[in-house]
Amino acid sequence: MRKTLLLLGIGLCSLQHPVFSQTGTITGFTKESSAKQQALEQQFDGLLNAKNVGNTIQELSAKPHAIGSPGSKAVADAILAKFKQWGWDAQIETYQVLFPTPVTRVLEMTSPTQYTAILKEPALKEDGTSAVEGQLPTYNAWSADGDVTAPLVFVNYGLPSDYETLAKMGVDVKGKIVIAKYGRSWRGIKPKVAYEHGAVGCIIYSDPKDDGYSRGDVYPKGPFKNEYGVQRGSVMDMVIYPGDPLTPGVGATENAQRLDRKDATTILKIPVLPISYHDAQPLLAALDGPVAPADWTGGLPITYHVGPGKAVVHLKLAFDWKIRPAYDVIAKIKGSTYPDEWVIRGNHHDAWVFGAADPIAGQSAMLEEARAIGELVKKGWQPKRTLVYCAWDGEEPGLLGSTEWAEDHGKELQQKAVVYINSDGNGRGFLNAEGSHALNHFMYQISETVKDPETGVSIFKRRIAEQMVHAISDEKKQALMNQHTLELGAMGSGSDYSSFIQHLGVPCLDLGFGGEDAGGEYHSIYDSWDMYRRFKDPTFAYGVALAQTAGRAALRMAEADVLPFDFRSLHKTVDGYINELMQNVQQMRMSTMVENKMIATRQFELAADPTKKMVFPTEKPAVPYLDFSPIQNAIVALKTGSDSLAKTWEKMLNNPGMQAKFNEALYRAEQQLLSLNGLPRRPWYKHTLYAPGFYTGYGVKTMPGIREAIEQRNWQEAQEQIKVDAAAIQQLAAYLAKAAQL
Amino acid sequence: MRKTLLLLGIGLCSLQHPVFSQTGTITGFTKESSAKQQALEQQFDGLLNAKNVGNTIQELSAKPHAIGSPGSKAVADAILAKFKQWGWDAQIETYQVLFPTPVTRVLEMTSPTQYTAILKEPALKEDGTSAVEGQLPTYNAWSADGDVTAPLVFVNYGLPSDYETLAKMGVDVKGKIVIAKYGRSWRGIKPKVAYEHGAVGCIIYSDPKDDGYSRGDVYPKGPFKNEYGVQRGSVMDMVIYPGDPLTPGVGATENAQRLDRKDATTILKIPVLPISYHDAQPLLAALDGPVAPADWTGGLPITYHVGPGKAVVHLKLAFDWKIRPAYDVIAKIKGSTYPDEWVIRGNHHDAWVFGAADPIAGQSAMLEEARAIGELVKKGWQPKRTLVYCAWDGEEPGLLGSTEWAEDHGKELQQKAVVYINSDGNGRGFLNAEGSHALNHFMYQISETVKDPETGVSIFKRRIAEQMVHAISDEKKQALMNQHTLELGAMGSGSDYSSFIQHLGVPCLDLGFGGEDAGGEYHSIYDSWDMYRRFKDPTFAYGVALAQTAGRAALRMAEADVLPFDFRSLHKTVDGYINELMQNVQQMRMSTMVENKMIATRQFELAADPTKKMVFPTEKPAVPYLDFSPIQNAIVALKTGSDSLAKTWEKMLNNPGMQAKFNEALYRAEQQLLSLNGLPRRPWYKHTLYAPGFYTGYGVKTMPGIREAIEQRNWQEAQEQIKVDAAAIQQLAAYLAKAAQL
């Protein structure tokens, strides 16, 4: 589901990581066990085969396999059979989840001229699967049923700030249908914000500037979106809670208590439909009203107007709101020493249509890991901890399979889960890694041992080179040159790690490659085998690279003597967040003061063109000084706690008798960062450090309780959330200090 | 000729100007003479009439009137008659200048498909003059004759940095025809840089993203460029010297000694032709080769490729290289007290076609000033200093009329010219003011007394409001809120002030309004009366505002007791330039060091996509430390000199006996900033502070000798030019110190 984006210049500060394990050893291993582990990984690498990855991609992407479709069941069964064949203890766990499919889709312009949208991606002779039957048509899951006719308004990307711009232009969307570009926010945010502003319908289209010919040659000549391509996708209000809308917080088992559909807050209230730029052009060209601001202009050969005016559209949508089975394939290899410590690895298997890249490329890499591990087991190896490999169903509509499983097994997971390692789509390029910040050094070591298939240097060095070349300042470049840690990105949403990290506090990693695989196939019928082999990863070498990277993460976690968590890097990261937040408030105070002065002296009026309709801003209340001291003190305590834990950690390597207890303390530490009540207005999200943004969607908000309150200028809530987050950090600090006494 | 652009955030530092004239008085006037001057200006304002401005625009833009055409003679004669009618002592001074007009214009694509460019702007029923005969066709003056057939390469804006990007992609333009977008540099730079890189022909087109439907509705529905619109214009290498290419440095009188055309260095060596986006699209769509970098992409509905490949074009151009008359209308009103001190005001009258905005809007404002001044004279008033109003011919092809006149009268001007006040195109919006920095406070006072027609506040306050709203930092906004001076922009080129300031050292001002008059008519047949009255300044109120502003500048300069030059603001400005240059060198040193390290460690290779052809940068020599001390010491001397001059200046207001001598010292001070040898490789340009950029064209380079040497990494020349500029500044400082002793 997640569109793999290359994150540049992630993280806030360049951590010069003090190496705390003996030189040449793997963190968490002694010199002896390290050598053994290296031998194991060498064996593991030797078993991975790019051809298998390619074959699996072709096999699993041959037919449409969205959740609830025959194809989904077939893919789940095929994966189950593979696991079993490779010696895993595998089964399918089935949940019963709501999933709407379209029955009626009509979009037409009724004025000033008539245009009926095609709403169909054509089969292409160059794309072998594009004519295969059983495709879900182009739609947004969780749109409301609706039949509306209203004037059209162009709202740019449909972000809250876009509506502020419209308000300045005197344009209101109340009672209108809005048309928004894909991009800049997760798609589900667009209809939600449109609804909040009174719109009665929402159209989302792919503008060729962002996703079409302006980017490069279009499919099938090149990889970019052709004029008929449409991005399907969920618009569930997943930032409230992901998973089955009818069973928030609990597993959607057969007999689970279910909400009435009308009470499910994550289902959209207005009809919403995604369209191609071929279908969007006549609508946009018909708009009158003010010319859109310069930075709203897309790549169509027209003047973009905002409307409203003569352009009126009719949008009629109806869905089949059915409960359908989600088939999660769960495969285990029991741990020899710590059978009740689970190292969990997952990737979804459902796709909007064929999903060769998303998710099958990641799924195939994971299956190749599983095959190789099966071979190791056949040769007599057994992991110390239990390996749990999961192929999730229903990720695309809203992380259904993983969320229901995680909710169903929540207590057990908080007891047993050492880590959850996720992947999703995958392609040629650079390592992208997000996760719990206590794992920075762990991932640094791994990324230094995996070779980039194209350049032969480590995937770490290649990632750093890429960041360096794109860094905007010499200072940042120099810092990168001297960087000897991997700064994991903070986790937002958009893939199956969400429940683990944000609801349960299970330490997580999310791994993938990309950046040299740009294209426009995402969630279209052209995310296909032919597209993949031509443009995404023709040699499947990055499938192997992902298997090496995620496989190493799983194997090291399974085998470590002392689990490789280092909370000193978490401290540094959080310290950076807090400094950033304090600067933000300071900056807002200054901006508000200056803007209020400008308003008082009529500067906006004086600068405006009086021939154009404009609504001028009004003064905002001054930004108060907030008391950040609780969190500043908490940060100091966290430093003390993480520093003393690091000392104990070193000693534990040579103290096997205490390792079991110490390890459990380590992997359950992340849970200390959960708050009892969760985030304001979305209690499902309990992690105090990471959440998807309420108005950005996939995009992470770090310290979300405080940050979003500040962004919304809700100073009272910001002050409350400072205390909530401070309490969580103090709780972690005390927990670490206590663990250091073991 | 100059495209009036709104300059945002000009200048380097916010000068808190110490008011040195008595409160409530006009700078340069005593309390008594100030009151008299205010009364005069009130009378002057009362005589200005927007209707007249409109009528003059309609009259003078009715027929095509490029230099050498019957229309040009007719316009010059009409202007002459007006001046005479209004009581001015007026005459036409004629120069004989080279001016090529097109005989053959062929552009066709011969492969992979056939396309013959239209090269013609159609007449429109909504535009009353668009069918009038006698139009110069679409072309670039000073293109070479040529007949070339070659593969096409897209070079973005054709800047030196664009060729660096092409080189990195392994693309060479040697023997190719290049196609460049208009914009980012003066057009003449594009074929010059193309030629330097070995191209055999150059096409320049207006991309709809910069100048077409992406900006707004196109003509005649809206003001922006329609698909057939073409920007004509000069491509003379004016940064070497402007004016008649055959008579550099001397007036192009009948019997002047002339270069052979082949020896004229400012005439292009390759054929170059401007085209519309209608004509450009098939050519660009036919390109293959690498996809253009993302920031090169324009607004056409195609994937922009770079070429070269199958796309081959044939460009055939021939010109009639004729010597033609340039008719400068020169009108004088003799000064009563200082007849040999000239306050010069000018605006060109020639246009590429009809030129309602460029130059007739400015010309009409100037004529309205002249009419009002004539009325004042009829009522018995006479200026203390001689007023010289000039309507220049041949500005469009390369400042021909003004340059030849200034060269012809060079010695006299250096003796007599107090100031040259220029204007050009004009429209609705904000004051744009450039000029000699000793006139900051003078222009501040004027801009505080002229009312903006739309808002009723002063044009200063409106300009500040506009800068404030667009300022990028709160600090800048606050500084603007407290700013009580007008920071004049530094002068580049592109209008008739060039010879005065850059060749002769005559203090200059360049004034105009714009920013709410955006359109695509520039240098097309649609720069017409109908376009002007609909989209540029429908009430002609900004014509009156220009007349008020430039008229005040002329009248105050003509009447001042002590001329209003304050070199303390010049000192602050130059001090800012030097600090900026030192920072630039420091920044380059750092960047070079970091980039060299990155090259040494192969970062560019590691970050690159190995499937794409790339040429990687090689290490550059380290940036040495330069000795800036000569100029730092000169700046200190300039501070001393300008401070003591300011003290004397105050006293002079009450010392009428010394004013004549002191005033002459003041207005000739700017000449101290000229260097004997001029700028490296372009000796015509003698001003050490301001010149058009060698690789930017119109765009100014301040301290050009030093700055361009630094930009070109010519450290030896930079060091030499530091000494040259230091000597000029020391010379001015000593001159001011001496004048302070009067």
Side-chain angles (χ1 to χ4, degrees), chain B residues 153-200:
Chain B
V153 176
F154 173 53
V155 297
N156 196 25
Y157 293 102
L159 313 179
S161 59
D162 293 324
Y163 289 90
E164 285 170 25
T165 304
L166 286 172
K168 283 183 194 158
M169 298 165 79
V171 174
D172 186 357
V173 303
K174 204 162 181 176
K176 311 291 189 297
I177 294 173
V178 302
I179 180 164
K181 292 186 282 194
Y182 263 116
R184 302 283 169 91
S185 72
W186 180 59
R187 80 182 76 74
I189 299 301
K190 300 170 196 289
K192 162 177 158 171
V193 177
Y195 171 72
E196 287 178 0
H197 286 82
V200 297

Side-chain angles (χ1 to χ4, degrees), chain A residues 584-602:
Chain A
N584 288 358
V585 174
Q586 184 58 30
Q587 172 62 39
M588 284 173 84
R589 183 177 299 116
M590 171 76 150
S591 296
T592 304
M593 190 191 71
V594 171
E595 185 168 306
N596 284 349
K597 268 196 215 168
M598 286 173 64
I599 292 165
T601 53
R602 294 174 53 228

Side-chain angles (χ1 to χ4, degrees), chain A residues 217 305 462 474 591 606 608, chain B residues 213 217 305 462 474 591 606 608:
Chain A
D217 292 317
H305 288 255
R462 190 154 198 242
D474 288 328
S591 296
L606 296 179
Chain B
Y213 52 68
D217 291 317
H305 287 253
R462 190 157 198 240
D474 289 327
S591 295
L606 296 180

